[in-house]
Amino acid sequence: MFPWLLLALSVCAHASTGVSPAVSPTVPPRHMDSVLDILDALESPSRGGTPGAAAALGRDLGICSTPGCRAVLGEPPGTLERPPALTPGQWQLLTELLRHDPATPELGAVLAPDGSTVALGPLLAGIEVGLRSGGFGRPLPTLDPPADPLLAVTIAEVLGTSFLLAQGSDNNVTALGPGGCWDDVENPQNYTLRGPPSPVPDPVAIGAMDGVVLGARLARGPLPVAELLRGYYGTGNGSEAGRPPSSYRRRDFGALAGQGRLEKEVEAVLGVLRTLSPTPEFLRDVGTQEVAAVAHRAAREFNERYVECPAIMPRCLWDARPYRGTPALLQPPLGSVFLHHTLEPARPCRTFSACTRAMRDMQRFHQDTRGWDDIGYSFVVGSDGYLYEGRGWHWVGAHTKGYNTQGFGIGIVGDFTATLPDPDTLALVRDELLPCAVRSGHVRPDFTLHGHRQLGHTDCPGNALFQEIQSWPGFQGTRAPELR
């Protein structure tokens, strides 16, 4: 009962809207909840969403537009009509999400309840491979040379292609990123990338990781797709149910496809592309050793950026006010990291909506009550699995009086006088943020870590947290020298 659900979506990737030009349907927001509503409609017999209707639209068709993905999931269908289970607006949303020009990957993205932005194409491709691997739908083909179909359709092909194209360009072209901003997180309609797009901007990377994680789950046993996605992402921006599984995507993807395996699969899928007719132009003059080198670099850089480093929610996603005045530039790499707790809010935030609200409250307090130019911290750590950008990597903060130009101020949301943040939040700072800051050149390898209380008259970051960080790498046990 499950493949028809994905295959109805598969058809949408290459079908016309079925809506007269004179009609202007109400198009739902570009939010994962809208996708869940569509899946619910396709499942509902009362709205005509039967397996038979989906089969009539092409049960065995895929959602791919690239040669390698089509080799796995099949050629796209021709023009098809809107399924009766979907409203014209829902149908238009899906066709816009899945039929966009590859040069505009931002048009294929939706905002998830956890605050991440997810490209729908690689997510659904991974889910379809998972269903077919689990015995639902026709068997997957055997690729030659052997390649993992799940990684091929989600990340390996686009990652290898991106790095080959970047290598062959005369310009300073990047192969990964950038991220972007939504016009309104409550009613997202337009997503704008914050720089020139690569074939693997952040939403594509996130959608691919989610496609791998969920595809692997479905290969072990069936679940209704709507139920699977709802449980993975949580429901709605207003949900306070707690940290969703999607916030662990980097860890879970790394466990399934670490750097070594990803490198192998990028090299393998580029080998598959060589066997297709016609061979893609970007591979014609590339030797096997060069392909191996590209695969190595692609896997290493993807792993460093999207697996080993934590996700940072930009200011636009928590609806930050503008900086007041003219910010002063930092001069990296800096030698110190100063750890704080926010005290207020006193309770850790465990969802995107709770953490964004905490960020706005802190910024309002810092600007309106303290009279500062902006929120004081460089970054704020939620217990939802994400960092939130404050002053960021480039601008002098207002977190540790007398030392703001010497280091970054990291605040963890909550009061940690008597209790600690949960282990995952501690690990996010200790094992991900700090090593990533060193690798990226923002912090010196010999940096020192201080609790705020060592640099001023305060109990921050709380007794429990201060005791905890004394065992962390870089902790400086004595009070820092006064600056003169």
Side-chain angles (χ1 to χ4, degrees):
M1 65 179 288
F2 307 114
W4 68 268
L5 198 57
L6 263 292
L7 293 167
L9 293 177
S10 303
V11 169
C12 302
H14 305 280
S16 69
T17 63
V19 178
S20 167
V23 176
S24 180
T26 301
V27 180
R30 290 175 178 258
H31 195 279
M32 188 63 72
D33 289 350
S34 300
V35 177
L36 291 171
D37 289 341
I38 290 169
L39 290 167
D40 286 334
L42 290 169
E43 280 188 310
S44 173
S46 65
R47 297 181 63 178
T50 65
L57 293 174
R59 179 185 301 273
D60 294 331
L61 297 172
I63 60 174
C64 301
S65 60
T66 58
C69 195
R70 287 199 300 268
V72 175
L73 294 181
E75 293 293 327
T79 299
L80 294 162
E81 296 299 321
R82 169 174 60 89
L86 302 185
T87 68
Q90 288 175 321
W91 179 245
Q92 180 172 328
L93 175 64
L94 275 180
T95 56
E96 290 175 353
L97 288 171
L98 296 172
R99 293 188 66 228
H100 59 86
D101 188 319
T104 55
E106 68 273 16
L107 298 182
V110 295
L111 178 64
D114 68 352
S116 60
T117 299
V118 182
L120 203 58
L123 168 67
L124 295 181
I127 287 175
E128 186 172 349
V129 167
L131 287 168
R132 288 167 62 173
S133 297
F136 295 87
R138 65 184 182 185
L140 293 165
T142 300
L143 299 176
D144 185 22
D148 184 331
L150 180 58
L151 288 172
V153 302
T154 51
I155 189 59
E157 181 186 14
V158 69
L159 187 59
T161 299
S162 183
F163 274 79
L164 276 174
L165 292 173
Q167 177 175 274
S169 174
D170 294 331
N171 301 319
N172 187 22
V173 177
T174 60
L176 297 173
C181 297
W182 286 98
D183 52 349
D184 184 345
V185 296
E186 298 301 326
N187 183 31
Q189 298 291 347
N190 298 294
Y191 183 73
T192 304
L193 292 172
R194 299 191 295 171
S198 72
V200 192
D202 288 1
V204 169
I206 292 169
M209 288 190 288
D210 289 350
V212 169
V213 172
L214 296 178
R217 168 64 186 87
L218 287 169
R220 299 195 301 268
L223 276 177
V225 176
E227 176 184 328
L228 177 72
L229 293 178
R230 186 169 282 112
Y232 184 69
Y233 291 110
T235 54
N237 274 331
S239 171
E240 300 294 339
R243 181 173 176 178
S246 56
S247 65
Y248 294 99
R249 65 170 59 85
R250 296 182 178 222
R251 179 201 67 187
D252 294 344
F253 175 85
L256 291 167
Q259 181 177 329
R261 184 182 177 199
L262 184 57
E263 177 181 337
K264 174 185 173 184
E265 294 301 331
V266 170
E267 185 174 359
V269 79
L270 292 177
V272 171
L273 294 182
R274 285 188 187 278
T275 69
L276 302 180
S277 182
T279 301
E281 180 69 29
F282 59 82
L283 272 171
R284 287 181 183 166
D285 298 320
V286 180
T288 55
Q289 289 185 336
E290 188 175 354
V291 165
V294 166
H296 176 74
R297 188 172 75 254
R300 184 190 71 243
E301 292 188 19
F302 185 90
N303 190 71
E304 289 176 353
R305 177 164 180 160
Y306 295 110
V307 178
E308 295 179 357
C309 286
I312 299 175
M313 294 291 184
R315 292 169 62 92
C316 58
L317 278 184
W318 59 267
D319 197 22
R321 293 174 173 180
Y323 188 98
R324 293 176 179 172
T326 303
L329 274 170
L330 290 167
Q331 300 296 322
L334 304 185
S336 297
V337 174
F338 308 121
L339 199 64
H340 304 250
H341 68 168
T342 63
L343 194 61
E344 291 292 340
R347 297 181 62 184
C349 62
R350 302 189 185 280
T351 64
F352 174 63
S353 60
C355 291
T356 56
R357 185 168 58 249
M359 292 297 293
R360 291 189 296 271
D361 289 345
M362 281 186 283
Q363 186 187 42
R364 187 163 46 248
F365 174 71
H366 288 178
Q367 287 186 322
D368 296 348
T369 302
R370 297 286 193 186
W372 300 342
D373 293 331
D374 197 0
I375 189 170
Y377 304 113
S378 305
F379 297 97
V380 176
V381 184
S383 292
D384 62 338
Y386 299 106
L387 298 178
Y388 288 79
E389 182 185 25
R391 303 280 180 110
W393 294 120
H394 304 295
W395 308 111
V396 176
H399 45 79
T400 313
K401 187 175 181 180
Y403 299 87
N404 291 313
T405 62
Q406 309 303 308
F408 296 100
I410 310 300
I412 303 179
V413 176
D415 177 354
F416 302 113
T417 302
T419 60
L420 282 174
D422 63 82
D424 288 340
T425 301
L426 293 172
L428 179 69
V429 180
R430 180 189 61 232
D431 303 333
E432 297 178 44
L433 172 59
L434 296 179
C436 182
V438 172
R439 284 195 305 271
S440 59
H442 297 297
V443 172
R444 293 204 305 259
D446 61 345
F447 75 94
T448 58
L449 174 70
H450 294 277
H452 185 195
R453 63 173 60 187
Q454 295 174 273
L455 304 144
H457 302 292
T458 175
D459 291 330
C460 180
N463 292 337
L465 183 55
F466 183 66
Q467 182 175 359
E468 163 67 24
I469 67 172
Q470 293 179 43
S471 64
W472 290 15
F475 177 77
Q476 183 70 39
T478 59
R479 181 181 176 88
E482 297 290 341
L483 295 181
R484 299 186 184 277

